[in-house]
Amino acid sequence: MNVKLLVEEFSAWYGKNQAVKDVTLPVPLHQVTAIIGPSGCGKSTLIRCLNRLHELLPGTRTKGRVMLDGQDIYSDNMDLAELRHRIGMVFQKPNPFSTMSIFNNVAAGVRVNGLRPGTKMEDIVEKSLRMAALWDEVKDRLHESPYNLSGGQQQRLCIARALAVEPEVLLMDEPCSALDPASTLKVEELIADLKSRYTILMVTHNMQQAARVADYTAFFLNGQMIEYGLTTEIFTNPKDKRTEDYISGRFG
Amino acid sequence: MRIRRNQRRRIVDRIMGVLSVLATVVALIPLASILIYVSAKGLSAINWDFFTKLPKPVGEPGGGMANAIVGTMILVGLASAMGIPLGILAGIYLAEFGRGRLAWTVRFICDVMTGIPSIIVGIAVYGTIVVAMKRYSAIAGGVALAIIMLPLVTRTTEEMLKLVPNSLREASLALGAPQWRTVVSVVLRSAAGGIITGVMLAVARIAGETAPLLFTALSSRYWHTGLDQRIASLPVYIYTYATTPYEDLHRLAWGAALVLLALVLVTSMAARVAGRRASGGNRG
């Protein structure tokens, strides 16, 4: 297993409340890893730590290491802009920039990080929208407001925006929780397509979704990682009683 | 039983609807009556000379207020040039960066400043700038107005920025944008409409201020000759003319009041249009 991102003995706090407790989790290269668990189990907090958004909230603190290609992202010489360029994120609720057109939403991140010489913004935007399976739906209205799109389209726009900067890792925080079944299916197909080029770590409280798209699954409960393994193993042959109870729908 | 309850609800709904329309009408009565009264009294004084000529000495008929119109524009312009950028920057600091004691202090001072009567601001500027320069000047007037404007701009900017959902900030940061860039190209732009409205309210407020100008810019019967000289302004003219016993000057004062109202109206309408354009022509 080629590990792209390794979370080691990691803990995170909101004030005195410890949301993530001593978690060690490998995220393999070019695979989809899913974190499942009931609400409040610390899964979203953990992935917000992986691009260091968690620390922006007042009173928060973390402990432990997160190794990206062997380099600790919590070390002092880590450049946050560079880190977030390498580790992209898609949020729970679609959050397109309301003041920018569809085109500029996708272009925004590229502008921040600088357009590579010899590339054209039009091409990058088209490529990203195609990867997000949105191009055909928006190609004639690139200069309209993203608010004219449906919720599912907005979320795919946010995915295109994240892809445009060509991150190495894509974090997805319950990317389908605000979407209808048809849009959910589209996003899931998209995730399956993307994994040949990206390393994907997604949080979901939808177990079927994890079973459908993830290669590896981690089960979280009360801030602790209870079990981690191949998705097929976790769902067919869980080793821990609590995992079994959760996936068989006895709680959560 | 259920039918009766529904009927009751419908009646209450009607009554509340009528009451809120009534409240709106009551609130609009003073505004409309001021507009109508000032227009009725002031229109007769308005003619070409009013906008192009200097005031005549007392007793001579005719004359205009061109110097006061220009003066008010200069004073408001000076105050805006100082107050708007400073206020917006302070507001950005409070909303986006400020934590801890310094931010608390700035916010507290701002709130206190909002409550200071404008005449006291005038005296304070008199005691510092006017005394130091040994004369009344447009600069002193501009500073006094800027001080009145500053807390208004700061607090509206802060409030408007706080209304921008955090998810937009996170979206921008997650793309690798540094915080200053996030603030400039995402947060400020989302809040532009509200900030511009707040700024215009502040401009309108200082355009009509009289008391602080009496101690700082004073007034002048002549064209503006330099920022270090005393300068005429519409509010001070209204005040001085209205307190004379001459019918002719009363008429001019009403005219000045009308022009002042129109100036404020035009600038705020222009700013509304600009604001709508700045926020991308759409509001969700």
Side-chain angles (χ1 to χ4, degrees), chain A residues 190-224:
Chain A
L190 182 62
I191 293 170
D193 287 345
L194 291 174
K195 76 172 182 183
S196 61
R197 263 178 291 180
Y198 301 91
T199 300
I200 295 172
L201 176 62
M202 69 182 299
V203 161
T204 177
H205 54 215
N206 178 339
M207 283 176 284
Q208 286 74 29
Q209 183 169 60
R212 282 191 299 262
V213 300
D215 301 292
Y216 292 86
T217 298
F219 171 59
F220 274 53
L221 188 63
N222 298 327
Q224 283 172 311

Side-chain angles (χ1 to χ4, degrees), chain B residues 69-134:
Chain B
I69 295 172
V70 173
T72 282
M73 287 179 176
I74 289 174
L75 283 169
V76 171
L78 266 177
S80 303
M82 293 182 269
I84 294 175
L86 267 178
I88 289 182
L89 285 174
I92 291 174
Y93 168 75
L94 289 181
E96 302 292 324
F97 299 92
R99 279 183 194 175
R101 184 166 291 184
L102 178 61
W104 185 89
T105 313
V106 173
R107 210 170 277 131
F108 179 75
I109 290 175
C110 244
D111 287 344
V112 173
M113 274 173 77
T114 321
I116 295 177
S118 58
I119 193 158
I120 304 215
V121 174
I123 292 170
V125 173
Y126 175 86
T128 49
I129 298 180
V130 176
V131 167
M133 286 174 75
K134 297 202 177 69

Side-chain angles (χ1 to χ4, degrees), chain A residues 132-145:
Chain A
L134 189 61
W135 174 253
D136 289 327
E137 293 160 57
V138 300
K139 63 182 176 206
D140 301 319
R141 44 204 281 219
L142 289 173
H143 297 285
E144 285 181 25
S145 159

